[in-house]
Amino acid sequence: MTCSQVKTVQRIIRDLQHLLDNDSYLSQAPGGKPFIAYRKPPNLKQLLTHNNTRTRLNMDTGTRACNKSISQLCCYIHPDSIIIGPNNIKHTISGLFNCSSSNIIYAIKCQQCPSALSIGQIGQTLRQRINGHKSDIRNHKTEKPIGEPFSLPGHYVQDLRVAVLLQKNFRHTLEREIAELQHITKLKAMERPGLNRDIGFMSHYTY
Ligand SMILES: [Zn+2]
Ligand SMILES: [Zn+2]
């Protein structure tokens, strides 16, 4: 019941009070006028943090399936709001994304290797990137960064998982690459079993 609804109820009670007062039996009831108490409804924070704080909060960030029929890619989404990299380094994702998110930094995970992690960037949508990775894996393109680890024995394209780490109004590729590098460094994605083999655009300066 909201505050304004309480006022309406109070008005109705006031208008009908004379029915109680005039009734020989009801007028004997103790307490006189009924009293309406108003309890404030829970706010968003209370709803989100009630009981199981962690699970409820985690529902609010991460990558979600778009469930659009144009993409058969929703099954590759890694929905968790925390990404775990090599050496158990954890990265908390803020923001809510889906297969259509574009201008992003993303993480590739492997269902077979829980601490394996690759960080990438793309100006197009996550959907387009997943399509590219899937085709590299299916065609055993071992020279490609994602094709290689998923060509290992016991690995299938179904082991691929993708999560958006960051979406921003990056103005050009270099800005995205800098953010990509920051995430590679923070999550130590170049340290085995991390999957980033070099630091991408910086590699021509370091090799
Ligand atoms: Zn989707
Ligand atoms: Zn793996």
Side-chain angles (χ1 to χ4, degrees):
M1 197 184 288
T2 67
C3 204
S4 64
Q5 286 171 319
V6 169
K7 282 187 184 134
T8 309
V9 172
Q10 281 170 334
R11 206 176 317 126
I12 293 168
I13 289 169
R14 200 179 55 227
D15 291 348
L16 300 180
Q17 184 66 38
H18 69 277
L19 293 178
L20 293 178
D21 295 340
N22 296 343
D23 185 280
S24 57
Y25 177 71
L26 291 174
S27 62
Q28 305 301 310
K33 250 185 165 180
F35 176 73
I36 297 295
Y38 170 63
R39 181 186 284 179
K40 204 171 137 197
N43 63 24
L44 191 59
K45 190 186 169 206
Q46 285 165 329
L47 286 173
L48 290 174
T49 54
H50 184 62
N51 291 336
N52 195 336
T53 305
R54 204 182 152 134
T55 327
R56 292 200 177 214
L57 277 177
N58 286 358
M59 285 169 65
D60 237 17
T61 62
T63 311
R64 298 289 174 271
C66 68
N67 292 319
K68 283 183 185 156
S69 54
I70 49 160
S71 67
Q72 301 286 307
L73 303 172
C74 298
C75 54
Y76 297 98
I77 295 294
H78 179 84
D80 296 6
S81 65
I82 292 176
I83 291 287
I84 300 170
N87 303 321
N88 210 27
I89 296 172
K90 292 185 177 71
H91 175 79
T92 305
I93 300 171
S94 47
L96 198 54
F97 315 102
N98 65 33
C99 317
S100 301
S101 299
S102 59
N103 215 356
I104 50 170
I105 310 300
Y106 63 89
I108 301 278
K109 296 287 292 171
C110 171
Q111 290 282 84
Q112 302 292 328
C113 320
S115 52
L117 171 77
S118 172
I119 308 286
Q121 58 82 20
I122 185 169
Q124 295 172 305
T125 62
L126 182 67
R127 183 181 298 115
Q128 283 161 304
R129 182 42 51 91
I130 303 175
N131 270 330
H133 285 326
K134 268 174 68 188
S135 117
D136 289 348
I137 296 168
R138 287 229 166 90
N139 299 313
H140 303 286
K141 295 210 170 155
T142 51
E143 75 282 7
K144 291 289 181 74
I146 296 305
E148 190 234 315
F150 286 89
S151 299
L152 294 170
H155 280 69
Y156 300 92
V157 70
Q158 288 84 355
D159 297 319
L160 178 73
R161 288 293 179 277
V162 198
V164 176
L165 299 180
L166 175 70
Q167 181 180 41
K168 232 173 121 175
N169 193 19
F170 297 112
R171 285 164 300 171
H172 39 68
T173 310
L174 185 63
E175 274 190 10
R176 269 198 313 277
E177 286 173 332
I178 291 167
E180 176 192 24
L181 180 61
Q182 286 166 342
H183 283 80
I184 289 174
T185 310
K186 183 193 168 189
L187 280 153
K188 298 198 192 301
M190 282 174 66
E191 282 180 24
R192 311 256 165 173
L195 300 175
N196 286 93
R197 287 292 166 260
D198 59 53
I199 45 178
F201 78 109
M202 288 292 282
S203 57
H204 18 263
Y205 300 106
T206 52
Y207 295 105

